[in-house]
């Protein structure tokens, strides 16, 4: 059993903790957090051992009735791998303490690629983690693009991919984030850094990206164009993508018109926190004109990297093959959406008691 | 066992169906729906018998691989009580078919009060349902106000309550609703109809309401003033409210600053669909100045009426006492939030992998 700790128990950390705890070959030894807020309380309610990430703040945990099991150092002494889910940039500051405890570490995509020996997605870069002391799971957007472009490149060849990323402004509880009432080019300089980030896990595929921020919180939306090297039909593209376990082709008849309905779908399925671990692609958006492929996909910024973190742990700590690891992760989490709805029906009823 | 059917499987209907299925003394015989969208599919995945609400559209269900168990009439033949969760106004149109099948019916607050023999909340009007053939659970906002004002009136006396309702524009998947980028007085004529609606379940309490719509989807927010007949301290008010099972006093140290964080809290607790069945009141907002009480509370428009529907069924179909019914409902659903966080701590970490 792989002994795993999670440092940082926010949006990503709490999901990674749950995912690790669900794996048959991993033990979640505990989670470390800086401040004792409602998320810290929820960790205790889930019976996770809670550690104080900042040893100078253990008294704050005790003051609110959440006495920590120890400090981050205590947690690191017990684990084979730590997953760093701290805010962007804080991970790099933590590198020294991880090295001091001689633990392998998985960083998140908010860190610079130089923080780790390799960047990671399970679909495209599993083997890069084999001998690494530290890997970085690329960001939610890069993960979503690599998952999409890898099978397209393998089957149809990619001359150039051009993607507009319409990004969510913040996560649902981040009320202090913008933008409000605007769509802001960010960064305004083109192309954006997202393309090169995709290349850290999918080298050799030419991809230009343009990114903006919108006043939404549920998901990112990608408007994708790929100039292919061949001329498949749209149905051939759909069938290829439908075979990928971490891609979900939204059926035309489902009445799912955006991120709100996608989250509703996930919550109706009983998904924890309404999480969508899969890229969500509109099947009817897939269009091929000559060698140009077009489609829309959504990426759940809180969730899509979670199975990737699990696979990164397994890639570093075992000799499990990529396909086997992904299958184990997916089965333990419940990744993989299937719908029998594939024909045109009406839009959903609007059934709500009046307010 | 009370045999229950649900007609209308949207925002409210699917939640009521789950709540009924969870009760120890009720059987969910099936759900009826007009169109076979992703919500219909989710009902089948939950192994609920799915009925076609419109007998002329059964072929649409068959066409998408969701053959119905029958029509609404077939469902009504098997139940003691039907819960009508159809869009506002459609319930009244359904009254004839319910009467023809001689079933008791629970309507939602989108219907006029005249649709039923009595209006209902469990806390204030349980006994009104005893001999009724039809009751109407009042709207989410009226439910939330009755739950709050009833204990305040009982303990401290209410001279006048004045409430500004800042309402959500639509539910999370309702992308076709407004307003966008505005806060719209609605209705602009004052006072709004919400006060009289509260009086259908809480007569004798003077309450004036003003309502607006805001471009949010998660919850309604109430800004409450009550001129009391006595002069309790703020702590006395807090203690009174904390004793009510369907009120949740948000602790000061939790780092919960709005609806986004409240939903995050509910999802971290593993609540189905992140539902908040309780009024959510900010404990630190409770303020008393002379005889004037002030506070903020949030109401989850998709969820707070759900336990009320369950109690309405039990009130009509059994001789269970109100307190016993509410306790049974709450235990089966998991209603009742408790937090050990009650002291000041910092705001939550913002821990998210960069996008």
């Amino acid at each position: 059993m792989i002994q795993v700790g999670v440092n940082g128990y926010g949006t990503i950390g709490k999901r990674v903790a749950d995912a690790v705890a669900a794996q048959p070959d991993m033990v979640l030894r505990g989670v470390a957090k800086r401040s004792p807020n409602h998320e810290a309380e929820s960790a205790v309610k889930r019976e996770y051992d809670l550690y104080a990430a900042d040893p100078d703040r253990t008294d704050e945990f005790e003051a609110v009735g959440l006495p920590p099991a120890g400090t981050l150092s205590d947690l690191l002494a017990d684990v084979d791998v730590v997953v760093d889910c701290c805010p962007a940039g804080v991970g790099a500051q933590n590198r020294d303490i991880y090295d001091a405890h001689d633990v392998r570490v998985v960083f998140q995509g908010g860190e610079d690629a130089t923080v780790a020996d390799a960047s990671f997605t399970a679909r495209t870069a599993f083997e890069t983690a084999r001998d690494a002391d530290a890997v970085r799971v690329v960001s939610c957007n890069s993960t979503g693009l690599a998952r999409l472009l890898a099978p397209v490149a393998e089957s149809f060849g990619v001359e150039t991919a051009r993607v507009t990323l319409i990004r969510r402004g913040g996560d649902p509880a981040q009320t202090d984030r913008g933008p409000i009432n605007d769509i802001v080019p960010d960064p305004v300089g083109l192309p954006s850094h997202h393309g090169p980030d995709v290349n850290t896990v999918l080298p050799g595929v030419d991809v230009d990206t343009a990114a903006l921020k919108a006043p939404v919180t549920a998901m990112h939306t990608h408007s994708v164009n790929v100039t292919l090297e061949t001329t498949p039909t749209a149905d051939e593209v759909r069938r290829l993508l439908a075979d990928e376990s971490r891609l979900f082709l939204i059926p035309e008849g489902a009445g799912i018109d955006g991120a709100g309905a996608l989250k509703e779908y996930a919550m109706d399925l009983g998904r924890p926190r309404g999480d969508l671990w899969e890229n969500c692609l509109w099947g009817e958006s897939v269009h091929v004109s000559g060698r140009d492929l077009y489609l829309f996909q959504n990426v759940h910024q809180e969730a899509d990297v979670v199975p990737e973190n699990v696979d990164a742990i397994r890639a570093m700590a075992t000799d499990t093959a990529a396909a086997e690891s992904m299958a184990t992760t997916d089965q333990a989490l419940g990744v993989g959406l299937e719908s029998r709805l594939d024909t045109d029906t009406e839009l959903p009823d609007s059934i709500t008691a009046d307010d």
Side-chain angles (χ1 to χ4, degrees), chain A:
Chain A
M1 300 289 274
I2 313 167
Q3 309 294 312
V4 181
V6 174
N7 184 23
Y9 193 77
T11 300
I12 299 298
K14 61 192 176 189
R15 288 173 165 86
V16 169
D18 290 351
V20 165
Q23 301 304 311
D25 54 347
M26 299 183 189
V27 176
L28 178 70
R29 292 301 295 263
V31 301
K33 186 158 182 15
R34 288 180 62 82
S35 60
N37 68 356
H38 67 90
E39 289 173 316
E41 187 187 19
S42 83
V44 173
K45 285 188 175 172
R46 283 164 190 258
E47 301 187 346
Y48 296 160
D49 283 345
L50 177 65
Y51 292 80
D54 182 346
D56 294 334
R57 295 178 65 179
T58 55
D59 55 337
E60 292 180 31
F61 286 73
E62 281 156 9
V64 298
L66 301 172
T71 65
L72 176 60
S73 287
D74 298 321
L75 175 60
L76 294 175
D78 287 339
V79 303
D80 304 312
V81 182
V82 63
V83 185
D84 183 292
C85 301
C86 293
V90 176
Q93 300 170 24
N94 291 335
R95 183 75 202 250
D96 285 348
I97 191 172
Y98 301 144
D99 287 346
H101 285 84
D102 198 25
V103 294
R104 294 190 176 99
V105 54
V106 179
F107 290 105
Q108 305 306 309
E111 306 300 321
D112 288 336
T114 55
V115 77
D117 308 316
S119 290
F120 185 89
T121 59
R123 175 66 174 77
T124 66
F126 194 90
E127 294 301 324
T128 64
R130 285 302 186 197
D131 298 316
D133 294 321
V135 299
R136 180 188 71 121
V137 171
V138 293
S139 76
C140 47
N141 279 314
S142 298
T143 297
L145 287 176
R147 285 179 180 168
L148 173 71
L149 294 176
V152 171
E154 290 161 8
S155 292
F156 307 126
V158 170
E159 184 176 294
T160 300
R162 304 170 192 89
V163 184
T164 299
L165 309 169
I166 304 126
R167 296 156 61 208
R168 64 86 177 101
D171 292 333
Q174 291 178 316
T175 48
D176 57 344
R177 301 264 293 229
I180 59 167
N181 195 38
D182 208 341
I183 296 169
V184 179
D186 178 38
V188 70
L190 290 178
S192 76
H193 63 278
H194 299 86
D197 197 48
V198 172
N199 287 143
T200 65
V201 290
L202 189 66
V205 171
D206 188 45
V207 50
D208 288 335
T209 51
L212 312 93
K213 280 189 181 179
V216 301
T217 62
M219 301 181 85
H220 300 299
T221 298
H222 296 173
S223 178
V224 178
N225 162 243
V226 187
T227 302
L228 304 169
E229 293 173 343
T230 57
T231 56
T233 67
D235 271 342
E236 286 170 335
V237 175
R238 281 190 203 100
R239 282 199 296 275
L240 174 78
L241 300 178
D243 279 345
E244 294 281 319
S245 65
R246 294 180 185 174
L247 303 184
F248 169 53
L249 257 71
I250 303 164
E252 297 189 23
I256 294 175
D257 66 349
L262 276 168
K263 290 282 288 182
E264 188 92 356
Y265 183 69
M267 289 198 285
D268 284 351
L269 289 172
R271 287 277 181 103
R273 301 183 177 93
D275 280 353
L276 289 156
W277 301 293
E278 306 86 355
N279 294 20
C280 300
L281 295 81
W282 275 273
E284 64 199 289
S285 77
V286 175
H287 175 76
V288 179
S289 173
R291 291 194 291 123
D292 275 311
L293 165 67
Y294 297 91
L295 62 84
F296 290 126
Q297 71 172 4
N298 269 21
V299 166
H300 186 189
Q301 77 281 358
E302 301 171 298
D304 79 328
V305 298
V306 172
E308 309 298 327
N309 273 274
V310 173
D311 290 322
I313 295 166
R314 205 175 275 116
M316 295 174 82
T318 73
D319 57 5
T320 309
E324 183 186 343
S325 176
M326 291 177 71
T328 300
T329 301
D330 291 354
Q331 183 168 11
L333 270 181
V335 175
L337 284 166
E338 289 182 19
S339 171
R340 70 179 86 185
L341 296 169
D342 56 359
T343 58
D344 283 317
T345 59
E346 293 183 32
L347 287 174
D349 293 339
S350 172
I351 298 176
T352 314
D354 193 26
D355 49 323

